[in-house]
Amino acid sequence: MLVKPHRDDAKLIVYYLGRIMWVVAGAALIPIIVAIVEGEWQPFGWFLTMSGTAAFLGAATDRLKPPQKQVMRWGDGMVVVALTWLVVPLIGAIPFFLSGHFSDILDALFESMSGFTATGLSVMSDIDHNPTSITIWRQTTQFLGGQGIVLAALSVFAGGGLLALYHAEARDERVFPSVRSTARFIWLVSLWHGVIGVTVLWLIGYFRLGFEPGRALLHAYAIFVGAFDTGGFSPMSTSLAYYRSFPYELVTMWLMLAGTLSFGAHYHLWRGPRNILRNLETKTMAASVILGTTILFIGLARTDIFVDTPSVVRRGFLHLLSAHTSTGFATVTGSDLASWGGLAFAAIATAMALGGMGSSTSGGVKALRVGLTIKVIVNTVKETLLPEHSVIRPRYYQNGNRQLSPRLAQSVLVVSLLFVALYLFGTVVGLVYGFPLQDAMFESVSAAGTVGLSVGVTNPAMPIGLQITYLLLMWASRLEFIALFSLAGFALATVIGE
Amino acid sequence: MTEPARRRSRISTDISGGVFHLVAEIGALLALLVILGAIAWLVTTLI
């Protein structure tokens, strides 16, 4: 029997949603300041509208403040996060819609959802001629989404139930005793990479590419955010190909790699013990990157598209890394990517499906789950080969020796299977709309793995049904299902619960 | 240790940790590039 949620639970959920609205209202100050500096008065009005809407919603929910002793339950935390990832993209879509770069509100919402989920698929027309403040906001959605909107709220507001919110946002690692201090360490790591990354990209942009200082800074910020938050939005429609610069690509590769590291791995690199090479997650990630890139190289070598070894390494590794870290940057067009042939195509699609490390900004199944799934398979085979009464106690190393319990194995397999189901669902919808199997599968994995590489299926003229499907795939994937199921359960209990 | 001394020590740990962190990440990227370069050379030579 489902129990109808108490009125206080609903009030608590709305109250926390309101807190998060204040974060959105505050984040809007970034494009507002840029609009003032650049004298873009029309966009200034669009961002003021967005900020005002978010602030109004935040203020309207202030009076629902729960009593001090009321602590948020896990289920309620999940519902808050699931709703946050629907409401925030909706508010964030306001300036996109008003900008006139989208034909309807669905296109604007798609772009916003793609940004906040750090996917990078785009339906924006005329990207190259955006006002600077719109470009900054488009990039900042990835920063907010990648860092975690809820995490941002945790850094600012204190209160009960923070742990529930933290875990609900698909982060299962805490490197400090309190969630707040963990959140602050995550910001420290991001700030450190931001300062170094933006400075180096600015230097390359200014001295090597001949950009003006302001333009070099805009591109440096945009590419840093796109790479470190594994979003993949670029200020130019040609993505990284626009720069035609190996040093720029090299720095971007470093940032993508850093962005895909779990924050636990960042912590161990930063504060020690520095033995992350022993971790199952690190080993799995390294093995799949090397194996995937080798397969991609073989595929490229068979097509004769790139004649020399440096070109194969430069193009092949960048795209494999971009796919594996779920970033989505590219140096070739979608149609060129499609012409790379079946083997190279399959390597990229598989990398997108596997994704990066857990508790990072990347999507996909995630390296630790992949490693554990392989361990479960190996142990199952062992069990069938060994004598009947043999007992196997599977173990793995991940920041210490751990046992692979049946409960953990089940949870890993369930989430991995749900990801596969998501990839297949999107593929089937693509096929229904008449796209070839290869294109439908690639684009579906790209959306559901929150990657953003495209072979051209995603465009301003794409079918509405497919667009809504990809939108839902991005949302479900970012939440890693559990928060989604909690929301569905909450809605069902509200309707039929007793 | 007094509070200002503790803070200075923490900042110093943070800076050295941050530098090590950076070197480790860039080192890992360069190591990957070398390994993959060798593989790419082998693949393009053999196929």
Side-chain angles (χ1 to χ4, degrees), chain A residues 188 192-193 196 250 253-254 257-258 261 266 269-271 274 289-290 293-294 297-298 301-302 309 312-313 317, chain B residues 13-22 24-26 28-30 32-33 35-37 39-41 43-44 47:
Chain A
L188 171 70
W192 175 249
H193 284 85
I196 308 279
L250 205 59
M253 282 193 253
W254 157 56
L257 199 64
L261 288 183
H266 279 297
L269 276 178
W270 201 295
R271 301 262 167 97
R274 287 155 179 170
V289 165
I290 293 173
T293 315
T294 305
F297 287 166
I298 296 171
R302 285 165 60 94
T309 306
V312 169
V313 176
F317 181 50
Chain B
T13 310
D14 271 346
I15 291 174
S16 65
V19 172
F20 177 85
H21 190 272
L22 209 65
E25 281 174 357
I26 294 171
L29 178 68
L30 294 178
L32 267 176
L33 276 171
I35 294 168
L36 294 171
I39 293 172
W41 176 80
V43 166
T44 46
I47 295 176

Side-chain angles (χ1 to χ4, degrees), chain A residues 111 114 119-122 124 126-130 134-136 138-139 142 218-219 221-227 231-243 248 252 327-331 452:
Chain A
E111 193 79 6
S114 179
T119 303
L121 285 172
S122 180
M124 191 174 216
D126 205 15
I127 291 172
D128 300 355
H129 299 102
N130 267 332
I134 282 282
T135 300
I136 290 284
R138 190 163 169 263
Q139 298 303 122
Q142 300 171 109
L218 172 72
H219 283 260
Y221 169 74
I223 297 302
F224 159 71
V225 169
F233 272 158
S234 163
M236 307 308 289
S237 54
T238 45
S239 192
L240 280 187
Y242 176 76
Y243 306 102
Y248 220 79
T252 309
T327 306
F329 278 140
T331 53

Side-chain angles (χ1 to χ4, degrees), chain A residues 293-317:
Chain A
T293 315
T294 305
I295 294 169
L296 179 67
F297 287 166
I298 296 171
L300 285 177
R302 285 165 60 94
T303 57
D304 288 333
I305 292 173
F306 304 112
V307 285
D308 58 322
T309 306
S311 296
V312 169
V313 176
R314 183 174 164 185
R315 308 271 183 247
F317 181 50

Side-chain angles (χ1 to χ4, degrees), chain A residues 28-53:
Chain A
L29 289 176
I30 300 170
I32 285 176
I33 292 167
V34 173
I36 293 170
V37 171
E38 292 285 317
E40 295 172 349
W41 300 112
Q42 213 179 4
F44 172 76
W46 307 334
F47 291 114
L48 217 54
T49 309
M50 175 180 74
S51 186
T53 309

